[in-house]
Amino acid sequence: MVATDVRSQAGTRPAARMDGRMRLVLLVLLVAQFMLAVDFSILNVALPVMGEGLGFSLAGLQWIATAFALAAAGFTLLFGRVADLVGRRRLFLAGMALLGISSLAGGLATGPAVLMAARVAQGLATAAVTPAGLSLLTSSFPEGPLRAKALGLNGALMSAGFTTGAILGGILTDLLSWRWAFFINVPVALAVLLVAPAVLKESRPEVRPRLDVPGAVTVTGGLLALVYGLTTEPLALPVGVALLVAFWFVERRAASPLVPVRILTRRTVVWGNLAGLVAFVTETSLVFLMTLYLQDVLGFSPLAAGLSFGVLGAGTVLGGVLASRFIGRYGPRAALVAGGLLQAAATVSLYALGDDRSWLWLLLAATFTGGVGNMLAIVGFMVTATSGLPDSEQGMATGLATMTQQIGITMGTPIMSAVVVTSATVLDGIGVAVLVNAAIVLVGAVLAGLLLRRS
């Protein structure tokens, strides 16, 4: 049992309200997750300036993002399980320290090699901090309304962080330097490292099982190959699939599996993560599509385009705040379905966008509404995918959920980019991609409603 898991004084009945310590735990974990979300998107606007300053070729720019994605997605499941074995607070603090050091190194980089090493280290830090932080959060709040509220706020802050990162990246690059996109992490990481040890309590098993090395090798190699195939070389995709299939068979025979097969076959884990994958694939790729629309069709500057997504950020924050109440009344399955249907309806309306700026109102209204629906679905996914499991397995569950998030973010843009280029004009391509995006959301919502009906 995690020391921060709060119960009533009368017994094991969950506390009805957050006490002061729970609020401190939530604040520390939300600040960390918000910073990670900002870090993911803050460099997007700065990439051209950064590449010019450090001597990156145009083709090499993609590796600044790909190096981060490979490390973040490839190692997140492994680190999620490691958090259960060696201690969640210990891994959380180690990851935050690595994030601060790597951000400082990235900001001081004078050439491509140092910058790439810093980005890989930032990805590894994200792979450690995200599942460790989420498992600290889920095990610190009893299953039910309090956990749903905490996950709702976490989802809202993470989504707001993605939007804030895009805006902040443009402002820092224009007013100061691209290096401040790295430096800004350092004081926040330091503040978390100073406060967290006094707030977060350690949790780890009394008897530490051995790490499933074959499982760790196959799943990490499979995820690395999968992400590399999605972002750079499609020939790596079959290798990734083969390694993940091998992982399944390894886990069936392992004495202390990285992820027990009984968990991989749980209805809530399988379909909850599938619904989460749909939510992240579609919304992150929709941001890419609307960025193309704003800049290539309407002629907005990168900074103006980034500021336009502030409306989307407001929608996701509202969705995260409303999610806990919705789930408390109707359940996480209803949140997945209702959120998906709302997001699909908002997305399909974007098919009507035209080639002049008078259509901006539709983009803003649809992205705000879609943001509410998307965050409702994301919180429903997190509650579904982590429910019904003991505290000792929360690191594993949140590792799976984080892996789903990272792969979804990585997959979305390449898929929608491939759809856009099939049309003669950018506007036509965006229209087709919007319909595909909405169809994926709709199918995901319907499947969640049907296949989670008995959960």
Side-chain angles (χ1 to χ4, degrees), residues 368-452:
F368 175 84
T369 306
V372 175
N374 180 254
M375 189 49 58
L376 192 61
I378 286 175
V379 178
F381 139 65
M382 286 299 304
V383 172
T384 300
T386 59
S387 294
L389 295 173
D391 285 351
S392 61
E393 295 177 345
Q394 283 299 316
M396 182 195 317
T398 55
L400 282 168
T402 305
M403 179 192 71
T404 297
Q405 169 187 316
Q406 297 289 356
I407 292 177
I409 292 170
T410 304
M411 287 175 59
T413 297
I415 292 172
M416 292 303 142
S417 179
V419 174
V420 171
V421 299
T422 59
S423 299
T425 68
V426 173
L427 183 59
D428 289 342
I430 291 172
V432 174
V434 159
L435 294 179
V436 172
N437 192 296
I440 293 172
V441 178
L442 183 61
V443 170
V446 171
L447 287 176
L450 294 176
L451 298 173
L452 287 170

Side-chain angles (χ1 to χ4, degrees), residues 268-282:
T268 52
V269 171
V270 173
W271 297 110
N273 277 282
L274 180 62
L277 182 67
V278 168
F280 282 105
V281 163
T282 52

Side-chain angles (χ1 to χ4, degrees), residues 33-45 47 64-66 68-70 72-73 99 119 122-123 126 158 161-163 165-166 181 185 284 405-411 413:
Q33 298 291 355
F34 179 78
M35 186 181 73
L36 291 174
V38 169
D39 188 54
F40 186 89
S41 60
I42 195 170
L43 291 181
N44 290 344
V45 176
L47 282 179
I64 298 175
T66 300
F68 178 93
L70 282 169
L99 184 63
R119 287 299 281 165
Q122 283 185 319
T126 299
M158 284 188 67
F162 289 126
T163 305
N185 289 336
T284 54
Q405 169 187 316
Q406 297 289 356
I407 292 177
I409 292 170
T410 304
M411 287 175 59
T413 297

Side-chain angles (χ1 to χ4, degrees), residues 45 163-164 166-167 291 294-295 300-311:
V45 176
T163 305
T164 302
I167 297 171
T291 299
L294 288 167
Q295 294 188 41
F300 279 80
S301 68
L303 181 56
L307 290 172
S308 300
F309 290 116
V311 174

Side-chain angles (χ1 to χ4, degrees), residues 219-297:
V219 74
T220 302
L223 291 172
L224 286 171
L226 186 65
V227 175
Y228 182 69
L230 290 169
T231 57
T232 306
E233 179 51 70
L235 292 177
L237 288 173
V239 177
V241 172
L243 285 171
L244 292 177
V245 171
F247 170 69
W248 171 270
F249 287 102
V250 166
E251 297 307 275
R252 292 183 63 180
R253 299 187 177 187
S256 299
L258 192 71
V259 183
V261 172
R262 62 179 174 79
I263 290 180
L264 292 174
T265 56
R266 283 179 65 97
R267 183 189 295 268
T268 52
V269 171
V270 173
W271 297 110
N273 277 282
L274 180 62
L277 182 67
V278 168
F280 282 105
V281 163
T282 52
E283 192 67 8
T284 54
S285 61
L286 187 68
V287 171
F288 164 73
L289 293 175
M290 293 303 98
T291 299
L292 281 182
Y293 176 73
L294 288 167
Q295 294 188 41
D296 292 1
V297 177

